Amino acid sequence: MDLRQMIITFALIGIVYALGLHIPLPGIDLEAFASLKYSVDSDMLSRISILALGLTPLFAALGLAEIARLIAFPWLKQKDEQDRNTVLGAAIVIVIALAVAAMQAYAISGGLGATPLVADNMTGFTMLTIASCVGATAFTIFLSDRIRIAGLRDGLWPLYSIPILLSLPNNVIASVEMTRTGAVPSTQWLIVAVYLVLSVAAVVVTAFLWRSACHEAGTIAEETIEPREILIWPPVLAITAAGYVLAFFAFIAPNVIATVQGLPLQIIALAMASILIPLIVFAYTRRLEVKNGANIRLIAIASIIAFIQILLLVSGALVSAFIQLPVSPGSIGIIVLTITALGFLNWDTVEVEGSLEPHVSAQTAS
């Protein structure tokens, strides 16, 4: 597959994904939906579509798998089992994703069943919803294996990019309308533009620094692509872990969490994520077998990556808090879009490991 075919494949997957967002779950009464003054082009339709869960189940499964890899690395190293694309690992990810989809679909069916969108005499709506969402999740897993890119183990991130790109036109139109009506000052466009340019530049810089450090450390050959999980997973896992911790405290001490709702809770979550990012970055660094005594440079570059990721996370939170224009995809969105674009540019240099299809094997990127 050449670069042109790669882009065409990405575009076709985007079209398929967009169509899926406009296919309602079986049993949804479209006349009742229209009576609530929603149109077929409304974003609300995606919430009752067969892709209502989006990438959440696959995202959750791969996130847990990534955490497990980081924690289990010393044991795997002792057992000489560093092949991260085992049939068992891929199968476990698929099972977890489908199980999460089934549980979330059950919750969605209960919520929709209490609304006028589902007819009272509709039987089997819960089972139909579960079957549709599980099938849609299986389909997203299939799509993720069709669009895997260099340096990453799976195709989650190109798929993650698609909803961001699909929402961009509506967000731009809404932002223009807000500016035209005077709801927000036009200077916010300049702030967002500067933020986007600097953020993309920061991600590109970290990518080039990491590639240079990996080559100097002797962890990869000259014609291969460095493992890029370190460029994208740390802020995602840090935010996820912070959410789990806060959810745990909300369970054991709901009154305490209730008193810090809103901005204080967001600040706490951001602080926790900022502390976790360096730990996760260095967890990825220790996975590499360093040669030529280049440990110091590798650690220095990893420190810069951690600092930039914290800076992106904090700046993204500030922009979201003080800028009303919805044109920015957020810090995670910027990282995902940039790393995906860089992956497409390096499409022809390495086979990507980590297929989620158990029968597929690929060459490890690291």
Side-chain angles (χ1 to χ4, degrees):
M1 183 183 295
D2 58 22
L3 180 57
R4 180 182 176 184
Q5 291 174 318
M6 194 78 161
I7 294 175
I8 292 175
T9 301
F10 182 74
L12 290 176
I13 290 177
I15 293 172
V16 171
Y17 194 91
L19 291 175
L21 292 175
H22 287 77
I23 300 176
L25 289 166
I28 294 294
D29 188 343
L30 291 181
E31 291 185 1
F33 181 81
S35 68
L36 296 176
K37 299 182 180 179
Y38 292 119
S39 67
V40 292
D41 295 325
S42 171
D43 290 338
M44 184 62 187
L45 183 59
S46 64
R47 302 181 187 179
I48 60 170
S49 73
I50 58 174
L51 290 177
L53 299 181
L55 298 174
T56 303
L58 179 58
F59 183 89
L62 287 173
L64 290 174
E66 204 66 24
I67 292 173
R69 287 189 184 100
L70 295 178
I71 294 175
F73 175 67
W75 180 83
L76 292 175
K77 188 173 183 179
Q78 293 173 7
K79 297 291 185 180
D80 195 24
E81 295 179 359
Q82 296 187 43
D83 182 4
R84 295 166 292 180
N85 186 33
T86 61
V87 172
L88 178 61
I92 290 175
V93 169
I94 293 173
V95 170
I96 292 175
L98 297 181
V100 171
M103 290 186 291
Q104 291 183 331
Y106 179 80
I108 287 177
S109 66
L112 290 175
T115 68
L117 296 177
V118 181
D120 294 335
N121 59 353
M122 177 64 191
T123 59
F125 178 71
T126 297
M127 294 306 299
L128 286 173
T129 301
I130 293 175
S132 298
C133 291
V134 169
T137 297
F139 188 60
T140 59
I141 293 174
F142 170 79
L143 292 179
S144 72
D145 208 60
R146 307 278 79 75
I147 196 66
R148 293 179 296 125
I149 59 176
L152 298 174
R153 278 189 294 270
D154 52 72
L156 171 66
W157 303 117
L159 283 183
Y160 192 99
S161 302
I162 289 174
I164 298 176
L165 295 175
L166 290 176
S167 65
L168 186 59
N170 288 336
N171 289 341
V172 171
I173 293 173
S175 298
V176 171
E177 186 64 18
M178 292 171 66
T179 308
R180 186 186 66 81
T181 58
V184 296
S186 58
T187 53
Q188 288 198 5
W189 281 94
L190 178 61
I191 296 174
V192 171
V194 172
Y195 165 72
L196 292 176
V197 170
L198 292 179
S199 297
V200 171
V203 177
V204 172
V205 167
T206 59
F208 278 100
L209 286 175
W210 180 242
R211 179 170 176 78
S212 173
C214 286
H215 279 301
E216 183 173 324
T219 61
I220 56 175
E222 185 63 31
E223 296 302 322
T224 59
I225 292 298
E226 71 283 0
R228 288 174 172 166
E229 293 84 6
I230 194 174
L231 302 175
I232 197 168
W233 271 112
V236 174
L237 294 180
I239 294 172
T240 303
Y244 287 152
V245 172
L246 292 176
F248 173 75
F249 278 107
F251 177 75
I252 63 174
N255 294 333
V256 175
I257 296 297
T259 59
V260 292
Q261 285 291 339
L263 183 60
L265 189 62
Q266 294 176 13
I267 294 175
I268 292 173
L270 188 63
M272 292 175 60
S274 299
I275 294 172
L276 290 172
I277 284 176
L279 300 178
I280 299 172
V281 166
F282 285 105
Y284 277 108
T285 304
R286 68 178 184 148
R287 297 178 64 91
L288 302 177
E289 296 183 3
V290 180
K291 302 175 183 178
N292 305 328
N295 304 64
I296 296 178
R297 175 173 170 79
L298 199 66
I299 292 174
I301 296 301
S303 301
I304 294 174
I305 290 174
F307 174 76
I308 290 178
Q309 288 177 347
I310 293 172
L311 194 61
L312 287 172
L313 202 62
V314 173
S315 62
L318 291 174
V319 169
S320 299
F322 297 104
I323 302 297
Q324 288 75 44
L325 296 177
V327 292
S328 172
S331 55
I332 300 300
I334 291 172
I335 294 173
V336 170
L337 291 173
T338 305
I339 296 300
T340 298
L342 291 176
F344 282 164
L345 292 177
N346 299 120
W347 61 272
D348 62 343
T349 52
V350 68
E351 289 185 47
V352 187
E353 64 159 334
S355 169
L356 290 179
E357 293 186 355
H359 65 278
V360 178
S361 63
Q363 177 182 347
T364 178
S366 59

